[in-house]
Amino acid sequence: MATSNTVAPTPEKQASLTMERDVEEKTPAAKQSLGAPTLDGAFYKNFMDPMTQELEKNVAKTNALLDKISSDLETERKQRFRKILQSHIPEALQGGGKKEEDVMQLVDQLIFYEEVEDGKDEVQINEQAQLQELDETGRLTVTAHSLAAHFSTLEPTALDRAASKLDSDCKLWLSRLFRFKDSVPVYHDKRFEGLAKIGQLALYTRYPKYATEGFEALYSRPPVIYVSTAAPPGLGQYLCQQLGLPKSCCCLVPCNTMFGASSKMDVALLEKLIEDDIASAKTPVLLVAYAGTPIVGHVDNLSRLQEIAKANNIWLHVEGNNLATLAMFSIPTSVESALSGDSITLDLSRWLGVPSLPYITLFKDSDQALTEAAGLTSVDARLQLKCLPLWMCLQSLGHEGMVNRIKASSDLAKILFEQLDKLSTIKQISREKRKPEREARNVKDLISKAISALLVFEIVTPTVVFKYAEDSTAPGAVVAPYSSIRVEDSNQEKDAIYFDALNTWLAEALQASNPRVPIDLVEVDKEGVCIRYSPLESAQIRGTTKEDVEQFVESLQSNLSVLNATTVQRKKFRSIVTSHNNLRLIDLDSWAGLGAVSYIPEPHFNKEGEFTDREKIEINNLNAELVHKLKAQDTAFSTGQSEDGIVCVRFGLVTSDTDVEELVSLVYGTGKEVEESSKFLETMSEVIRKGIEEANKELEKENTEKLMHEGVLRQVPVVSSLLNWFSPSKEQVKGRTFNLTSGKIIPTVDTYKYHMQLQEENSQTSASNADVKMNGTLPADSTSAAEVKAKLVTQSSESSSPPATSEDLPDVVAKGQGAEESGLAAN
């Protein structure tokens, strides 16, 4: 019996062997498929693979687009969130800031461009924004402001050392230059800020307990501040507000009314006011005086005021442009007393023509503790750097440079004063009236006169104020200004208003022709409107020269010739106007011209009292049309209005060769023409109104007859169309035309028949001519229907034109006659 060593395979092994045999059987087929492509492989290669690749590309593009949209949405969300967080930030400051070029462009737009006035976002060039050319000192001062800002970045030790040096140098130089010894400067940007600090120091000086008790120290004896009425308006109120005092603490001292200059402080009245205040348990604290009042330039009696201030323990503060003469080699006698005051305010920026220098207040420091309590000293180095531009300016100019600039401005005022003395119609306000000197009768008088001439040194005030007035050399009653006799003149007030208007016009004309000599219009008490020129304030800034002042005087003389001719012809103008019944004088005192008249129509010029509203409308329309026609001939005429609402014709300024009588005759003749044309228009309107009423009546009558003749059915819209189609109406179209020439209503039968508008009197002739045209033949004297029509219209207008019309209106009516007739035709 034989045995076998093989082991029977398990079911799992049997399954694996079966799978291996299946693979071996399929392997040759697979190898065969790798060797040669089958139909399925070609399908995948030619169709599926390209489609798959294109699909992959589209999916990639879609994913990229979705990523971009997601990123944009995220960015937009962040921007919205940032906008919400920055909603309180101004639009110009939002974001990361601008570049230097963009910022400088914005500065350029800020200065040299301005918005259009009509409210749009458009901008236009600002022609008035012109930067002045700077000299070497001016450019150095502008640089100093930048250096002061740059020096603030220094280390504290170096900054303190430089600031202390600058402060000590300026303190010494200013006290020596203006001869105000042992003084301390205070630099400030606002004009009266230094005066307010001086008032604070004066309160600490007069009230020792003011630093600890405050207002309770002032309650028992309230302080009083004395200010001249020539001071700028609101100065006393400003001081009281800055010092925390009631307005009752400010006392306005009137100016002289009897003797001397009209803007000087009345010393006698000041003494009386001080005595009354002391008797009323008040304490005089501060007195503000002027070495050159703000408008006129008069100098107060400083020596006398200093005596009063010392006697009553009052702080004396002096301001004014004449303080600039303290830096000159010789001090004027009238200003020298300012050196004995307690404080002065200087404006070197305008006096020297250097831009952006601070105001300087020099005061005598008697108690350093009180000075520090009043806030007049500063230990902050950055604040002390404010004097760096002043330090560099004084270094650049030197004393002689300062004196030359101040003297040059004073010389310009002197030249103008000398030229104004030669003009008889110019009244100088700023020049003080001096008492005539007594003739020397013996040797003693001669010696005293010579000594006074050596001791008293005066210069011309650097402020020139003048006005145009009546010729002072003309014959007439002359009353001394100090006389108690007053000449009553009912027209004096009106003349003052009239001359104010003339001075306003004169100032505008001078400023337009002489921009390098800037002038101002000022209101002077008891003088009215005046012209002010202060070379010390503007000459160095504008670069004004002697030639500019001489040209200014020439322009003034040429304008004065016009004003002189106007004032002389004004009385003649009034007398000529009164000789015409239709012309009425209108008082326009504020009008700088020959005068004003209003043309009154004939039905109203004899009427007494006020006109009714309807009459005013009629007169105003006539005068408005009158001015319109006069302007076409001469631009000197303009429209005005009186106080009672009457429109008038204003006459401008005239020259010496102007014929006033001819001007008035021109206005009168033109007014007559306008009045006659208005009468013709009124007659025509009445004729048209009556013609329209008659035409309406005839149309109503025709409508009634038509209704009776045709019946009711022809008036119904749909039924009438059917009836007219079956049985057309044989009646011709009727109508009317209104003839403006004859004022009659004419049937339009011929118009529709011959297709032209014909005149009433020549209707038969026109009809025959029209028949000839329709038959194809023309008359021997005509070549077309248009010429026939023109001839007929000419004949009709010659035979039926109204006799009482102006020279222009008939032509206008004849030209528009056909259009008006056709416009009034009613079917």
Side-chain angles (χ1 to χ4, degrees):
M1 181 174 169
T3 59
S4 178
N5 294 329
T6 59
V7 181
T10 61
E12 293 82 0
K13 188 174 181 181
Q14 184 67 29
S16 63
L17 291 175
T18 304
M19 293 178 63
E20 287 178 0
R21 285 196 299 269
D22 293 339
V23 171
E24 289 178 358
E25 292 177 355
K26 294 180 180 179
T27 300
K31 291 179 180 180
Q32 185 179 1
S33 65
L34 291 174
T38 61
L39 183 61
D40 294 339
F43 173 77
Y44 278 100
K45 181 177 180 180
N46 296 329
F47 179 74
M48 294 301 295
D49 291 346
M51 185 176 67
T52 305
Q53 293 175 1
E54 184 69 22
L55 182 60
E56 290 178 355
K57 292 180 181 180
N58 292 335
V59 170
K61 289 182 181 179
T62 305
N63 291 336
L65 182 60
L66 291 175
D67 293 340
K68 185 177 181 302
I69 293 175
S70 178
S71 177
D72 293 343
L73 290 175
E74 182 67 18
T75 303
E76 185 179 357
R77 186 186 65 81
K78 291 181 179 180
Q79 289 178 354
R80 288 200 305 268
F81 183 69
R82 185 181 302 171
K83 187 175 181 181
I84 294 174
L85 294 178
Q86 296 181 351
S87 59
H88 64 287
I89 305 298
E91 184 179 357
L93 302 180
Q94 292 180 0
K98 300 178 178 64
K99 296 182 180 180
E100 180 182 358
E101 294 79 5
D102 298 335
V103 175
M104 295 305 297
Q105 186 177 4
L106 292 175
V107 173
D108 182 73
Q109 295 177 0
L110 176 66
I111 298 175
F112 300 104
Y113 294 89
E114 60 182 358
E115 296 181 357
V116 182
E117 296 180 356
D118 57 1
K120 298 181 179 179
D121 296 335
E122 300 177 359
V123 295
Q124 60 184 2
I125 297 177
N126 186 6
E127 298 179 356
Q128 297 180 353
Q130 297 180 357
L131 294 176
Q132 299 291 334
E133 295 185 2
L134 300 178
D135 56 3
E136 183 179 355
T137 304
R139 293 192 295 269
L140 189 64
T141 306
V142 172
T143 306
H145 286 278
S146 300
L147 290 176
H150 201 184
F151 285 173
S152 62
T153 61
L154 291 172
E155 295 295 331
T157 304
L159 180 61
D160 292 341
R161 182 178 60 81
S164 300
K165 175 63 175 175
L166 291 174
D167 186 63
S168 60
D169 287 349
C170 291
K171 176 181 178 181
L172 177 63
W173 295 347
L174 291 172
S175 60
R176 295 289 182 86
L177 286 173
F178 292 94
R179 297 179 172 87
F180 211 67
K181 299 180 180 180
D182 301 329
S183 61
V184 178
V186 178
Y187 310 104
H188 47 95
D189 297 326
K190 296 182 180 180
R191 181 179 179 184
F192 300 114
E193 184 180 354
L195 178 57
K197 293 183 178 180
I198 291 299
Q200 193 77 18
L201 178 59
L203 289 177
Y204 280 108
T205 304
R206 289 303 306 271
Y207 296 91
K209 297 182 180 181
Y210 180 65
T212 57
E213 298 181 1
F215 186 75
E216 292 182 358
L218 313 177
Y219 182 75
S220 58
R221 296 184 65 87
V224 182
I225 300 174
Y226 300 94
V227 180
S228 172
T229 54
L235 177 58
Q237 181 179 358
Y238 171 80
L239 292 176
C240 291
Q241 289 177 351
Q242 296 297 316
L243 300 177
L245 300 176
K247 294 182 181 179
S248 58
C249 293
C250 178
C251 179
L252 294 178
V253 182
C255 297
N256 289 333
T257 55
M258 297 297 294
F259 303 99
S262 59
S263 63
K264 282 186 176 182
M265 185 182 293
D266 194 335
V267 179
L269 187 57
L270 173 64
E271 288 182 315
K272 187 177 184 304
L273 290 174
I274 293 175
E275 292 176 359
D276 294 343
D277 290 336
I278 294 175
S280 303
K282 296 181 180 180
T283 303
V285 173
L286 178 63
L287 174 61
V288 181
Y290 281 94
T293 53
I295 296 179
V296 183
H298 291 164
V299 181
D300 290 332
N301 192 349
L302 297 178
S303 59
R304 188 74 183 94
L305 293 178
Q306 179 61 29
E307 295 176 1
I308 297 174
K310 286 186 177 180
N312 297 278
N313 195 16
I314 303 176
W315 187 288
L316 178 62
H317 178 80
V318 184
E319 291 195 354
N321 289 332
N322 290 40
L323 292 176
T325 57
L326 294 175
M328 300 180 68
F329 293 103
S330 299
I331 306 175
T333 306
S334 60
V335 185
E336 187 176 5
S337 300
L339 299 175
S340 58
D342 298 302
S343 60
I344 59 176
T345 297
L346 310 176
D347 187 4
L348 296 183
S349 182
R350 290 197 295 180
W351 297 346
L352 303 180
V354 180
S356 193
L357 288 180
Y359 290 95
I360 305 169
T361 297
L362 298 177
F363 67 96
K364 296 178 180 178
D365 187 10
S366 57
D367 192 339
Q368 188 175 1
L370 295 179
T371 302
E372 293 179 356
L376 292 174
T377 58
S378 176
V379 295
D380 190 350
R382 295 186 179 183
L383 295 178
Q384 291 177 348
L385 287 176
K386 186 182 292 186
C387 62
L388 178 60
L390 176 63
W391 186 84
M392 298 178 67
C393 173
L394 296 179
Q395 292 271 20
S396 175
L397 287 176
H399 179 242
E400 292 186 0
M402 294 177 58
V403 172
N404 291 336
R405 295 197 175 195
I406 296 173
K407 190 175 183 303
S409 300
S410 301
D411 290 342
L412 294 178
K414 182 179 180 181
I415 294 173
L416 186 55
F417 271 121
E418 292 175 354
Q419 296 295 328
L420 293 179
D421 287 337
K422 302 176 184 178
L423 304 176
S424 58
T425 54
I426 291 296
K427 180 180 180 181
Q428 299 188 33
I429 310 300
S430 55
R431 174 164 291 185
E432 300 182 18
K433 303 179 180 65
R434 300 188 179 276
K435 297 180 180 179
E437 296 183 358
R438 188 179 59 180
E439 296 182 359
R441 298 181 179 179
N442 48 36
V443 179
K444 182 178 179 181
D445 293 341
L446 289 174
I447 295 174
S448 61
K449 186 176 181 180
I451 294 174
S452 62
L454 293 175
L455 296 178
V456 178
F457 170 73
E458 292 292 343
I459 64 170
V460 176
T461 176
T463 304
V464 184
V465 180
F466 62 94
K467 62 176 290 189
Y468 174 76
E470 292 183 338
D471 191 355
S472 58
T473 61
V478 179
V479 182
Y482 52 82
S483 175
S484 59
I485 302 175
R486 295 185 179 180
V487 179
E488 297 294 337
D489 187 2
S490 58
N491 296 325
Q492 185 175 5
E493 184 177 355
K494 293 184 178 180
D495 290 341
I497 299 175
Y498 177 68
F499 276 92
D500 287 347
L502 293 180
N503 281 283
T504 302
W505 176 88
L506 178 61
E508 294 175 354
L510 292 175
Q511 188 62 66
S513 57
N514 303 276
R516 292 176 64 88
V517 183
I519 56 177
D520 299 320
L521 271 177
V522 294
E523 185 82 20
V524 181
D525 189 23
K526 299 181 180 179
E527 296 292 344
V529 176
C530 300
I531 301 173
R532 178 180 181 270
Y533 173 55
S534 180
L536 197 58
E537 298 177 357
S538 60
Q540 300 302 322
I541 298 176
R542 297 291 185 94
T544 309
T545 60
K546 295 181 180 179
E547 290 75 14
D548 295 330
V549 176
E550 292 174 356
Q551 184 179 359
F552 176 82
V553 174
E554 293 178 359
S555 178
L556 175 62
Q557 291 175 349
S558 62
N559 288 315
L560 286 180
S561 62
V562 176
L563 294 180
N564 293 336
T566 303
T567 53
V568 170
Q569 300 277 23
R570 192 164 179 246
K571 295 181 180 179
K572 181 181 178 181
F573 168 77
R574 289 176 171 268
S575 61
I576 295 175
V577 170
T578 53
S579 63
H580 294 82
N581 295 330
N582 295 89
L583 298 181
R584 178 177 296 183
L585 277 172
I586 303 297
D587 292 331
L588 297 180
D589 300 325
S590 59
W591 169 246
L594 194 63
V597 299
S598 182
Y599 186 88
I600 308 299
E602 290 184 1
H604 309 303
F605 68 79
N606 290 326
K607 182 178 180 179
E608 297 181 359
E610 297 183 356
F611 297 105
T612 61
D613 294 340
R614 184 175 181 180
E615 292 173 347
K616 284 184 179 181
I617 294 174
E618 181 182 350
I619 295 173
N620 290 343
N621 293 336
L622 190 148
N623 282 276
E625 181 65 22
L626 173 60
V627 175
H628 179 70
K629 286 197 171 186
L630 291 173
K631 276 187 176 181
Q633 303 180 29
D634 193 344
T635 57
F637 297 101
S638 60
T639 306
Q641 191 171 11
S642 62
E643 295 179 356
D644 54 354
I646 299 296
V647 176
C648 60
V649 182
R650 296 188 303 190
F651 291 73
L653 299 171
V654 297
T655 58
S656 57
D657 56 348
T658 302
D659 190 351
V660 179
E661 187 172 357
E662 182 179 352
L663 283 178
V664 177
S665 300
L666 175 63
V667 175
Y668 180 77
T670 308
K672 277 291 185 183
E673 294 180 2
V674 175
E675 183 182 5
E676 290 175 358
S677 63
S678 63
K679 288 181 179 178
F680 176 74
L681 293 177
E682 289 177 0
T683 304
M684 181 182 294
S685 63
E686 183 67 20
V687 171
I688 293 173
R689 186 183 62 81
K690 291 181 179 179
I692 292 175
E693 292 178 355
E694 184 178 352
N696 289 332
K697 291 180 181 178
E698 291 190 4
L699 287 176
E700 292 179 358
K701 184 178 179 181
E702 287 184 1
N703 291 333
T704 305
E705 293 178 355
K706 183 178 181 181
L707 180 63
M708 297 295 295
H709 178 72
E710 297 179 351
V712 180
L713 293 178
R714 287 191 180 271
Q715 312 305 321
V716 180
V718 180
V719 178
S720 61
S721 300
L722 294 174
L723 290 177
N724 290 331
W725 183 69
F726 285 110
S727 177
S729 177
K730 298 181 180 180
E731 184 180 357
Q732 298 180 352
V733 179
K734 293 183 179 180
R736 299 290 185 272
T737 180
F738 181 65
N739 193 327
L740 294 177
T741 305
S742 61
K744 297 181 180 180
I745 297 177
I746 306 172
T748 58
V749 176
D750 294 337
T751 302
Y752 288 104
K753 180 178 180 182
Y754 304 111
H755 302 285
M756 65 174 63
Q757 293 181 347
L758 305 177
Q759 296 296 326
E760 177 187 8
E761 297 179 0
N762 299 327
S763 58
Q764 297 178 356
T765 306
S766 302
S768 62
N769 290 335
D771 290 336
V772 170
K773 178 188 174 185
M774 296 176 62
N775 294 330
T777 58
L778 294 175
D781 58 345
S782 176
T783 58
S784 64
E787 294 183 2
V788 174
K789 177 182 177 182
K791 184 176 180 181
L792 293 175
V793 172
T794 304
Q795 293 176 359
S796 176
S797 60
E798 290 178 355
S799 61
S800 59
S801 58
T805 58
S806 61
E807 298 178 0
D808 299 331
L809 283 176
D811 295 336
V812 179
V813 174
K815 291 177 182 179
Q817 185 173 0
E820 293 177 354
E821 290 176 355
S822 60
L824 292 174
N827 296 329

